[in-house]
Amino acid sequence: METKTESPIVTLSENIKTRKVKIGVIGLGYVGLPLALEIVNKGFQVIGFDKNDEKINFLKSGRSYIADLPETIMQEAISKEKFEATDNFTKLAEVNVIIICVPTPTAEDGTPNISYIVDAAHAIEQNMSADTLIILESTTYPGTTEDVVRPILEKQDFVIGQDIFLAYSPERVDPGNRNFTVTNTPKVVGGISKSCADIARIFYETVINTNVYAVTSPKVAEMEKLLENTFRQINIALVNEMSQLCYKMDIDIWEVIDAASTKPYGFMPFTPGPGVGGHCIPVDPKYLLWAGQQHGITATLIETADKINESMPNFVVERLAHYLNTQNKRLHDAEIVIIGVTYKPNVNDFRESPALNVINILRKNHCNIKIVDPFLETVIADGSTMNTVPLTKEIIRSADAVLILTNHTNINYALIDEHAALIFDTRNTHFLFKNQNYYKL
């Protein structure tokens, strides 16, 4: 009697549920590495792929280059032979689920650069076998999964939805956030077909501890991600513009925000700062701007928000110059101690940080800058490498001003408060400064 064979989706689903599949994660940055280790924690064997030799060597020795990812987790995964880091992409042939978590920066002209996605798709196409699930998590413009990744994967005559399965699920990683991590943040999934969406949903339901929300297509999921970050960009721009208005009108913007936050509905507090940074907010809305242009649409509100946020470093330096003038000092040649360069507190990521733009403006004014950031040893600003320094009483006393750009919690603000001639705090640091020359953004 002829034996009935199960369909690929049934077999792959059962193998996912019983942890018989091996998982591949391409891109071991702030998204891919925590995801890979969370998958290990759920009982799977994982191979992590990255072209960066330095990252691979770090991971092979059990070291972590992400501030809020303990090395003990890495070392345990390696010692139990549950995690392997490699730059050998032929090992993609060994895995049954492949997740793409590569960077998606913009080109110099602000247009999308999806070359890392294309490279990953080609590597998968050259090495994968049938009955494989491929999920793109990298933030990108709507249509990338269907119009860019799909044609590459179909070169081997696999039929998507039958032989292999392709879906998009946007990453939702917030570095430094202790409350919401990979495991308890809901996932959105959009598949090329219903079978693709089903198998991707089954996979995520196996590796996270919360809801998986399926949408009708990858385009919906891709657009959803852009909406999330554009929402933040626009609201940050609103409060940044409000801070400029309040300054001219001699109103404390922080008191205004606190008062508005007492409303139990219809208001969500956002806070001003020296600009926006990180791998999402300064970049993702530009993908949406570009996508709109391809369809003849000018996203005026998004474009304006982008300009407002990009104006904040200049606004910060103008304010600093004003406060120095009140002490009969000039910005030109001033001694400035900068506190914090990373794009948000308590992480070691300074990609697209507005602090870099502030530093560049200060350097153009020939300021002598010292950088204090306990999460960084060096900072690269405008092509130049600067070493960070410890926070001491001596460097504070010798400075004309201390400029707080990132409010790390492990900074000795009391020492700054006691010895600084002038403090300009762009983050409303939660410390009760008593210094008579303390100013907030």
Side-chain angles (χ1 to χ4, degrees), residues 67-106:
D68 57 342
L69 187 62
E71 291 186 343
T72 52
I73 296 175
M74 176 71 57
Q75 292 161 0
E76 183 179 1
I78 293 173
S79 66
K80 291 182 177 179
E81 298 184 345
K82 288 289 188 179
F83 177 75
E84 174 189 357
T86 183
D87 59 0
N88 179 7
F89 284 78
T90 64
K91 292 177 78 67
L92 284 166
E94 301 177 17
V95 303
N96 312 97
V97 178
I98 303 171
I99 308 169
I100 304 172
C101 302
V102 295
T104 48
T106 54

Side-chain angles (χ1 to χ4, degrees), residues 88-236:
N88 179 7
F89 284 78
T90 64
K91 292 177 78 67
L92 284 166
E94 301 177 17
V95 303
N96 312 97
V97 178
I98 303 171
I99 308 169
I100 304 172
C101 302
V102 295
T104 48
T106 54
E108 288 187 9
D109 61 358
T111 58
N113 174 6
I114 61 166
S115 60
Y116 296 98
I117 293 177
V118 172
D119 289 347
H122 280 299
I124 294 168
E125 176 264 325
Q126 293 163 11
N127 295 286
M128 71 176 174
S129 57
D131 303 344
T132 299
L133 168 64
I134 302 101
I135 304 171
L136 176 60
E137 284 209 4
S138 304
T139 303
T140 186
Y141 59 83
T144 302
T145 305
E146 294 168 84
D147 302 335
V148 178
V149 177
R150 179 178 186 169
I152 294 172
L153 298 183
E154 288 181 329
K155 286 183 178 179
Q156 297 293 344
D157 295 326
F158 288 124
V159 178
I160 291 179
Q162 296 180 27
D163 305 314
I164 60 174
F165 306 92
L166 175 62
Y168 182 81
S169 180
E171 58 87 3
R172 283 175 164 173
V173 173
D174 186 15
N177 191 326
R178 307 260 177 193
N179 297 319
F180 290 99
T181 63
V182 171
T183 190
N184 68 344
T185 301
K187 290 290 287 180
V188 172
V189 171
I192 292 289
S193 66
K194 184 178 184 304
S195 60
C196 293
D198 287 344
I199 192 69
R201 177 181 50 77
I202 289 168
F203 169 71
Y204 282 116
E205 286 176 345
T206 309
V207 299
I208 68 172
N209 300 332
T210 187
N211 297 330
V212 179
Y213 184 84
V215 295
T216 55
S217 70
K219 284 183 180 179
V220 173
E222 289 161 341
M223 182 61 88
E224 177 278 324
K225 174 61 177 179
L226 295 181
L227 173 60
E228 287 181 23
N229 287 333
T230 304
F231 169 83
R232 292 168 62 196
Q233 180 223 31
I234 288 172
N235 281 280
I236 292 170

Side-chain angles (χ1 to χ4, degrees), residues 350-376:
F350 63 94
R351 288 176 295 172
E352 307 291 337
S353 174
L356 303 178
N357 294 324
V358 173
I359 289 170
N360 291 339
I361 298 168
L362 292 175
R363 290 176 65 179
K364 287 177 182 178
N365 282 276
H366 303 284
C367 295
N368 183 16
I369 300 169
K370 292 184 175 65
I371 299 174
V372 175
D373 194 313
F375 290 87
L376 299 171

Side-chain angles (χ1 to χ4, degrees), residues 32 50 66-67 88 110 125 133 150 246 276 304 340 348 388-389 419:
D50 205 290
I66 297 177
N88 179 7
E125 176 264 325
L133 168 64
R150 179 178 186 169
C246 285
V276 293
T304 302
N348 60 350
T388 60
V389 299
H419 298 288

Side-chain angles (χ1 to χ4, degrees), residues 31-45:
V31 174
L33 185 56
L35 176 61
L37 294 176
E38 185 56 41
I39 295 171
V40 167
N41 189 46
K42 289 303 193 304
F44 292 91
Q45 191 169 354

